[in-house]
Amino acid sequence: PQAPSTRNDIRDCSVDPPYLPPTATNTTARLAALRGTMRTHGAHAYIVPSTDAHMSEYISERDARLGWLTGFTGSAGTAVVTQDKAALWTDSRYWTQAERELDCNWELQRTTSIESIGMWILKAVPAGGNVSLDPFLFSIDTWNSYSRALHGSGRTLLPLETNLVDQAWGDQRPLPSSSEIYSLPAEFTGSSWQEKVAGIRQRMEQHVRRPTAVLLSGLEETAWLFNLRGDDIPYNPVFYSYTLLTNTTISLFVEGSRLSAAAWESLRSGCPGPLCVELQEYGQVSAHLRRYTQGNVTVWLGTEYTTYGLYGIVPQEKLLEENYSPVMMAKAVKNAHEQEMLRAAHVRDAVAVIQYLLWLEKTVPQGQADEFLGAQHIDALRWAQEHSRGPSFQSISASG
């Protein structure tokens, strides 16, 4: 094998001038813009994750802050920027990719542990410095891990509700999705949203702590509860939303203008009354939660999908925390009709895969197929099946 230095598809920052492959992104201006906003906000270091405000596994282009800032397009990573340094942490799946995409403004850290990020910050930020982040992009666990890593070091973990990357990105940042949010036909769900809401309220009644509300942050939770679907994130049939469900009210935080006429009618059919869905602006969830928690209430939430930003709004004595919300637990148990639908979907998919294997057997020996063509072909075969909404992730096509 060749020595790494002779490879021309990865960066070489040891030579002068540094060698950058055509796949690398020039991040000098982006970093300068971010550092300017950091100075304005008194941040000595700024942590940028690869997640969105719903802890989604996949994210929309609008939420790809890490990708915009660093040029690195892998699905998992963390960046930390100070006034004179910038580093990216990612796991071994992405090390070669990072060396192709980063320019020499960035140090690549070949680990993902928060301890190692904390150690780097302690070296790069003097005592008395502020380490800032957007609390609405970090899970409760991750926030607590950073808090422990910096504890007693003389550095302050400072939440900033203004996202500094968004400020630096400015009007170049992609717009939010405007596509339609639609109702899933009853033939696929096996139970109406009204039945699902009644089931969750029953769980609230039966819980020993008698919570007065359930807060939903995971996008699939709201989509499942109301039998609604969208396409705000590639390969995921979800839309940006939050839900606050109480014993007597339902607040859905979503861009209401995007609801199809049928979806809107379905949600408003129970108005006025306990099955009336009140539509609120997506961006109003924090203010609404703040008002709600001033009363004599208990809010039930799942810590896996709730950000530290929202969690921090609810006073500790008014919180009922479990790993997963009751909606996530209910969604995990499929009713008989959903099971039937799952099996039918797998049969349709199996037909597409069998057609694909047959196609491979014919075309590969003729030397006409490569991996890229193969990925396109299986996608086309799947699209041709009834009810197809596309693949659940980008086809990973490989041979040899």
Side-chain angles (χ1 to χ4, degrees):
Q2 292 180 303
S5 59
T6 61
R7 287 180 58 167
N8 62 1
D9 65 334
I10 62 171
R11 63 183 185 158
D12 184 353
C13 299
S14 66
V15 295
D16 188 24
Y19 170 73
L20 295 178
T23 45
T25 299
N26 180 346
T27 62
T28 302
R30 297 172 188 188
L31 281 166
L34 176 62
R35 285 170 173 147
T37 64
M38 285 167 60
R39 282 193 292 276
T40 308
H41 287 85
H44 300 99
Y46 194 65
I47 308 174
V48 183
S50 54
T51 53
D52 66 8
H54 304 271
M55 303 292 104
S56 307
E57 182 184 2
Y58 293 79
I59 57 173
S60 71
E61 279 188 14
R62 182 174 168 79
D63 284 315
R65 297 174 179 91
L66 185 80
W68 175 79
L69 181 66
T70 64
F72 169 69
T73 59
S75 68
T78 303
V80 182
V81 176
T82 67
Q83 284 303 331
D84 58 353
K85 286 193 172 72
L88 172 80
W89 283 257
T90 190
D91 64 79
S92 56
R93 291 175 299 171
Y94 294 120
W95 291 344
T96 304
Q97 181 177 339
E99 294 286 9
R100 287 174 178 157
E101 294 181 332
L102 297 176
D103 66 6
C104 291
N105 287 312
W106 294 90
E107 301 169 21
L108 175 61
Q109 304 288 332
R110 294 166 189 261
T111 166
T112 54
S113 79
I114 289 177
E115 292 75 31
S116 91
I117 300 175
M119 298 283 285
W120 187 92
I121 289 172
L122 293 182
K123 281 198 194 113
V125 177
N130 290 326
V131 179
S132 288
L133 44 72
D134 178 345
F136 291 94
L137 292 180
F138 287 81
S139 70
I140 299 159
D141 280 354
T142 307
W143 170 277
N144 290 336
S145 299
Y146 280 112
S147 193
R148 281 195 298 273
L150 299 177
H151 183 72
S153 70
R155 283 83 169 168
T156 306
L157 195 57
L158 181 71
L160 288 176
E161 302 217 351
T162 307
N163 188 291
L164 302 189
V165 174
D166 293 352
Q167 280 203 330
W169 204 344
D171 57 9
Q172 298 299 298
R173 187 178 174 214
L175 294 168
S177 175
S178 57
S179 61
E180 189 174 72
I181 298 166
Y182 57 94
S183 288
L184 197 63
E187 63 187 278
F188 294 110
T189 61
S191 48
S192 69
W193 70 258
Q194 290 90 341
E195 288 167 335
K196 291 177 177 180
V197 165
I200 300 303
R201 282 177 169 159
Q202 197 178 351
R203 290 184 181 221
M204 290 161 68
E205 286 284 301
Q206 292 164 349
H207 198 287
V208 61
R209 292 254 332 257
R210 282 298 181 86
T212 60
V214 174
L215 174 67
L216 305 178
S217 291
L219 298 181
E220 60 271 49
E221 298 179 295
T222 289
W224 177 85
L225 185 63
F226 296 112
N227 292 333
L228 295 175
R229 297 292 185 269
D231 59 2
D232 291 11
I233 298 178
Y235 308 109
N236 292 259
V238 294
F239 51 91
Y240 285 102
S241 55
Y242 294 95
T243 301
L244 188 70
L245 172 67
T246 76
N247 305 331
T248 54
T249 64
I250 309 167
S251 299
L252 171 58
F253 300 86
V254 70
E255 205 51 63
S257 61
R258 296 177 50 203
L259 291 164
S260 71
W264 194 88
E265 275 168 37
S266 161
L267 296 175
R268 303 292 293 165
S269 59
C271 300
L275 287 173
C276 167
V277 179
E278 295 288 347
L279 297 173
Q280 314 258 7
E281 282 299 309
Y282 171 75
Q284 288 300 304
V285 64
S286 298
H288 186 93
L289 189 61
R290 205 167 265 120
R291 280 195 301 276
Y292 179 75
T293 52
Q294 285 167 0
N296 179 22
V297 298
T298 303
V299 178
W300 191 0
L301 54 80
T303 54
E304 285 287 317
Y305 287 86
T306 309
T307 62
Y308 183 79
L310 277 183
Y311 171 82
I313 290 171
V314 186
Q316 208 60 40
E317 70 279 6
K318 296 179 181 183
L319 261 176
L320 167 55
E321 298 174 49
E322 288 177 2
N323 284 351
Y324 298 101
S325 78
V327 169
M328 206 53 116
M329 300 307 280
K331 173 181 168 295
V333 181
K334 305 301 179 194
N335 63 39
H337 186 71
E338 285 171 320
Q339 291 182 33
E340 196 185 312
M341 294 287 102
L342 275 168
R343 290 190 195 101
H346 277 287
V347 168
R348 291 196 298 275
D349 193 64
V351 170
V353 173
I354 290 164
Q355 289 173 330
Y356 178 59
L357 293 173
L358 198 66
W359 178 85
L360 283 177
E361 280 176 20
K362 283 181 181 162
T363 53
V364 171
Q366 296 166 7
Q368 291 170 355
D370 59 25
E371 292 87 345
F372 184 67
L373 210 68
Q376 285 184 310
H377 191 68
I378 193 160
D379 283 354
L381 292 170
R382 284 182 163 138
W383 271 115
Q385 289 295 324
E386 196 185 5
H387 308 307
S388 173
R389 288 271 175 181
S392 58
F393 55 88
Q394 197 171 359
S395 287
I396 301 170
S397 177
S399 68

